[in-house]
Amino acid sequence: MTSVAAYSRGRALAEHLNPGMEAALRDRYGHWLPDAVAETAVGHGMGEVYAREGLDLKTRLLVTVGALAAMGGQTRPQLKVNVASALRAGASAREICEAIFQMHLYGGMPAAINALNAAIEVFEAEGTSP
């Protein structure tokens, strides 16, 4: 169970990286899984994992983007959210693209191309240039 302090850290971090995430998760899944999805993503994911010492936030998000890219097209929505979060954490478009491209070694070139296309959509929506 997530502590109150971790949940508070997670809530602040989630709002910084992805404003409205907690409410969106609660609205979408709260009726089906009360006190589960939003609480896990915010409290555990953001408050306990992303807030850990050892890696800075930008690096954590580049690692996340890479992992989602290697997993393939089924992660497209989460990939786009995390590309936008990586930008907010200070990653450049080039750093994000390099993290994705490296994953072609592990997830294959089709997965990398699909992830690059998703990232480019985020860059264009955010007004980010190469």
Side-chain angles (χ1 to χ4, degrees), residues 111-124:
I113 293 295
N114 289 337
L116 286 169
N117 286 331
I120 289 167
E121 288 177 17
V122 173
F123 300 152
E124 289 172 345

Side-chain angles (χ1 to χ4, degrees), residues 2-4 7 9 40-42 44 51 77 82 100 107 114 117 122 124:
T2 301
S3 71
V4 172
Y7 200 87
R9 278 191 311 271
T40 301
V42 172
H44 176 68
N82 281 280
I100 291 170
N114 289 337
N117 286 331
V122 173
E124 289 172 345

Side-chain angles (χ1 to χ4, degrees), residues 6-125:
Y7 200 87
S8 180
R9 278 191 311 271
R11 181 174 272 161
L13 190 52
E15 273 306 302
H16 168 67
L17 294 175
N18 188 0
M21 179 184 85
E22 181 181 13
L25 292 172
R26 195 176 311 285
D27 290 347
R28 177 71 175 150
Y29 305 108
H31 299 303
W32 302 102
L33 291 164
D35 303 321
V37 177
E39 289 75 3
T40 301
V42 172
H44 176 68
M46 293 290 173
E48 292 177 349
V49 177
Y50 277 76
R52 288 176 54 86
E53 294 181 14
L55 288 177
D56 61 76
L57 187 56
K58 179 177 106 171
T59 303
R60 284 191 189 281
L61 284 155
L62 289 171
V63 169
T64 301
V65 165
L68 290 168
M71 291 173 70
Q74 76 273 12
T75 67
R76 185 180 183 82
Q78 295 81 14
L79 177 61
K80 290 177 77 171
V81 165
N82 281 280
V83 165
S85 293
L87 289 170
R88 286 187 195 96
S92 69
R94 176 65 186 265
E95 289 171 320
I96 292 166
C97 290
E98 289 290 343
I100 291 170
F101 181 70
Q102 183 166 326
M103 293 303 108
H104 86 276
L105 294 170
Y106 307 101
M109 191 58 119
I113 293 295
N114 289 337
L116 286 169
N117 286 331
I120 289 167
E121 288 177 17
V122 173
F123 300 152
E124 289 172 345

